Amino acid sequence: MIDFEKRRSTASQRVAHRAQAARQEDSLTMEFEEIALQHSNGDRAVNGPAGRRVNDIAGWALLVFLALAPIPLASARPVFWLAWSVLLFVTLACYMVAMQIAEPGRKVAVLQVWPLLVAAALLPVAGLVQYFVAMSGARTEFAGHVVPLGSIAPESTLIAVIRLLGVLALFILAYEVSTRAQRVSRMAWGLFTIILAHGIWAIIALIFLDDFVIWGEKFAYEGVATGTFVNRNSFATFMGMGLVAGVCLIMERAHRPHVRHPSGSTWLSEANIELAALWGAVAIMALALVLTQSRMGVFAGFVAAWCGYVVMSLKYHASISRVLLRGAALPLAGGVVFLTSFQSGVLERGVLVTTASDVRTDLYVQVLAMIREAPLWGTGLDSFASAYELVHRPPVSSALIWDLAHSTYLTWWQEAGLILGSLPIIILCAAAVSLVRTIRRRRTNYVAPAIGLGAIVLVALHSLVDFSMEIQANAMVFTVILGMALGRLRRKEDRS
């Protein structure tokens, strides 16, 4: 006789055992234990929560700096240069002291890229030499005039040295805190949000507030978007860096792992709505970029964003032909924004590019003559305005004050000489090579290097005919992007 009650009991016991085993397996896979690694002396944790808190606080401080730097005329005045430099020196000193207290055994991470640090430090050191030689009373001849040897404008050169050291301190801070993927991602999204907020303000101020500026009457570039900047080209570079960051971050967000629903994905799923909102934010940023009416700024911004899109797409194992085909959508979207903003005057200014290039060419010819006058040592950092007064002549208009060379490359060569003036180019080329290697090597967490590579493309293109990177706010944003991109993530058990 078959005992059905016993069989039912045995079957229910088996189901209960299976459910209990499943719960135990889930608990094993979902519960994590955080272990603080101890130093060999056993006195204090080397990579514990204290070090992470210090880095987190420093990361938030960097975002606050980047949000505030563009507000006072893009910090493009000597008083702001000095103020930011002092603040960055103090912040770096406080960070180093706090980190040594929190993690006495922690090594200085930025020493991993010491060749780049040495190359970058050579410029302010050379500026100091130029300053002291000029203050010694030594004289030389430049363009038929007797001028101080070393630097034609010693006081300006000294301020430039302080500014460069401040930027170097900012890079060290950004590199030091870029040791955890989660923190780097948070900082990248924060940077994107900051630039987006400035872009929204620029559109509102131009369209809805009758070209309003916060510092009073707008005295230049009326009728175009400048935000809190003075120069539209500099603001275009600022927006372009945000555009690159947005494209790369959204590409990463679109390919992150997600839970599949039994009913399948729909157009109105939460993920798709989120991505649509993010692409809408990028479109707003692109609109602000076009409304600057900066010809090279718009071109360089869209090229850099396209490069970021291609790099991120190739990392997702897509074929080159498919990536290029899909990548055509980004220039197409940019063209739509461009045409819908026809009233902004970008197209009209594009038609007049030949006339503008003639004016720039005349200026560049005279700057090249200045470089030939002092090819090895230059005329001193930040001395272009003083030096150009000695050679300024027609056909370059005398109705304007030409205090900038409108080409960062020519500026460096004219002020620091052909050897030292080429150091920024060499540093950025070395950084680009390093970022390409990092992107190829990493299987995850390559969005920051992709943003850095796109930012380098943007800066390299726009600096050919403008001085955007000589503006403090842009220099600070670009420096933080490089610090995050070049930062080396620690191993999982050694992150802080």
Side-chain angles (χ1 to χ4, degrees):
M1 183 176 179
I2 301 175
D3 190 349
F4 290 100
E5 294 297 329
K6 183 176 180 181
R7 290 199 170 208
R8 289 194 192 98
S9 175
T10 305
S12 14
Q13 287 177 1
R14 289 175 183 169
V15 171
H17 283 309
R18 289 173 184 170
Q20 183 179 2
R23 286 194 296 269
Q24 290 177 352
E25 184 179 356
D26 290 341
S27 65
L28 289 174
T29 56
M30 298 302 293
E31 294 180 1
F32 298 90
E33 181 180 3
E34 184 174 334
I35 301 175
L37 301 179
Q38 301 292 325
H39 195 263
S40 57
N41 57 17
D43 293 332
R44 193 182 292 238
V46 176
N47 293 293
R52 289 196 293 273
R53 282 195 296 270
V54 172
N55 275 336
D56 288 340
I57 293 173
W60 284 113
L62 290 178
L63 291 179
V64 172
F65 295 164
L66 297 185
L68 296 178
I71 294 177
L73 302 172
S75 297
R77 298 292 185 272
V79 62
F80 298 127
W81 301 344
L82 296 177
W84 279 116
S85 296
V86 171
L87 180 60
L88 291 171
F89 294 151
V90 172
T91 304
L92 178 60
C94 292
Y95 170 83
M96 290 298 183
V97 171
M99 185 56 73
Q100 284 304 308
I101 294 175
E103 296 182 0
R106 186 181 191 271
K107 297 180 180 179
V108 179
V110 77
L111 294 180
Q112 297 171 334
V113 289
W114 65 266
L116 289 180
L117 284 182
V118 172
L122 286 177
L123 282 171
V125 169
L128 278 178
V129 174
Q130 290 175 328
Y131 171 76
F132 285 116
V133 170
M135 297 304 292
S136 69
R139 293 291 184 268
T140 187
E141 184 176 340
F142 176 81
H145 300 80
V146 178
V147 297
L149 180 64
S151 175
I152 293 178
E155 293 80 7
S156 299
T157 298
L158 182 60
I159 295 176
V161 169
I162 297 173
R163 184 178 73 251
L164 289 175
L165 291 176
V167 172
L168 186 59
L170 179 62
F171 173 80
I172 294 173
L173 272 171
Y175 191 96
E176 288 290 325
V177 303
S178 300
T179 53
R180 299 188 75 200
Q182 184 179 8
R183 185 183 304 116
V184 173
S185 178
R186 183 170 61 243
M187 291 175 62
W189 278 106
L191 176 66
F192 169 72
T193 304
I194 288 169
I195 299 179
L196 174 63
H198 279 277
I200 293 174
W201 165 251
I203 295 173
I204 293 174
L206 175 64
I207 298 177
F208 300 103
L209 300 180
D210 194 23
D211 208 5
F212 173 78
V213 289
I214 60 175
W215 60 81
E217 184 180 357
K218 193 171 187 179
F219 51 84
Y221 301 109
E222 296 180 359
V224 301
T226 56
T228 56
F229 286 59
V230 175
N231 185 277
R232 63 179 163 208
N233 301 304
S234 303
F235 184 62
T237 296
F238 183 72
M239 297 308 301
M241 288 188 284
L243 190 65
V244 172
V247 170
C248 294
L249 288 170
I250 295 173
M251 290 289 293
E252 182 195 42
R253 180 65 64 92
H255 290 84
R256 66 179 178 176
H258 59 278
V259 178
R260 294 184 180 272
H261 297 282
S263 60
S265 60
T266 63
W267 285 102
L268 296 179
S269 65
E270 182 180 351
N272 287 336
I273 292 175
E274 180 188 46
L275 289 175
L278 291 174
W279 282 117
V282 169
I284 292 174
M285 196 173 291
L287 176 62
L289 173 60
V290 172
L291 290 177
T292 63
Q293 298 187 24
S294 172
R295 291 162 297 204
M296 193 62 172
V298 173
F299 172 76
F302 279 107
V303 168
W306 183 81
C307 289
Y309 177 87
V310 170
V311 169
M312 294 295 293
S313 297
L314 289 175
K315 285 299 293 183
Y316 294 120
H317 309 291
S319 64
I320 296 179
S321 59
R322 183 177 300 177
V323 168
L324 294 178
L325 182 62
R326 292 179 178 176
L330 191 62
L332 180 62
V336 171
V337 176
F338 186 88
L339 293 175
T340 55
S341 303
F342 180 86
Q343 71 278 7
S344 68
V346 183
L347 198 57
E348 293 94 324
R349 295 191 73 243
V351 174
L352 299 176
V353 69
T354 303
T355 303
S357 63
D358 290 341
V359 175
R360 293 287 180 90
T361 300
D362 294 333
L363 173 64
Y364 295 156
V365 168
Q366 294 184 3
V367 175
L368 289 172
M370 296 169 65
I371 295 173
R372 287 194 296 270
E373 289 282 341
L376 296 179
W377 193 243
T379 62
L381 300 182
D382 273 14
S383 67
F384 175 82
S386 300
Y388 188 66
E389 290 181 0
L390 305 178
V391 301
H392 186 186
R393 57 181 57 90
V396 179
S397 173
S398 59
L400 301 175
I401 298 176
W402 299 87
D403 55 348
L404 295 164
H406 291 267
S407 171
T408 301
Y409 298 100
L410 294 180
T411 299
W412 280 115
W413 290 329
Q414 183 268 318
E415 294 181 348
L418 292 174
I419 299 176
L420 291 176
S422 298
L423 278 178
I425 303 174
I426 296 172
I427 292 172
L428 290 186
C429 288
V433 171
S434 177
L435 292 178
V436 170
R437 291 176 178 173
T438 300
I439 293 170
R440 294 184 62 182
R441 182 179 69 251
R442 288 184 184 176
R443 295 184 178 181
T444 59
N445 303 321
Y446 44 78
V447 63
I451 294 173
L453 192 61
I456 290 176
V457 172
L458 168 66
V459 168
L461 287 175
H462 205 178
S463 295
L464 288 170
V465 294
D466 268 312
F467 49 84
S468 296
M469 294 314 298
E470 299 167 51
I471 304 300
Q472 183 78 358
N474 284 336
M476 291 177 65
V477 171
F478 182 64
T479 300
V480 172
I481 289 177
L482 279 187
M484 293 191 301
L486 293 171
R488 299 183 182 178
L489 302 180
R490 292 170 177 262
R491 291 173 298 180
K492 186 175 182 180
E493 70 275 9
D494 190 39
R495 293 179 185 174
S496 59

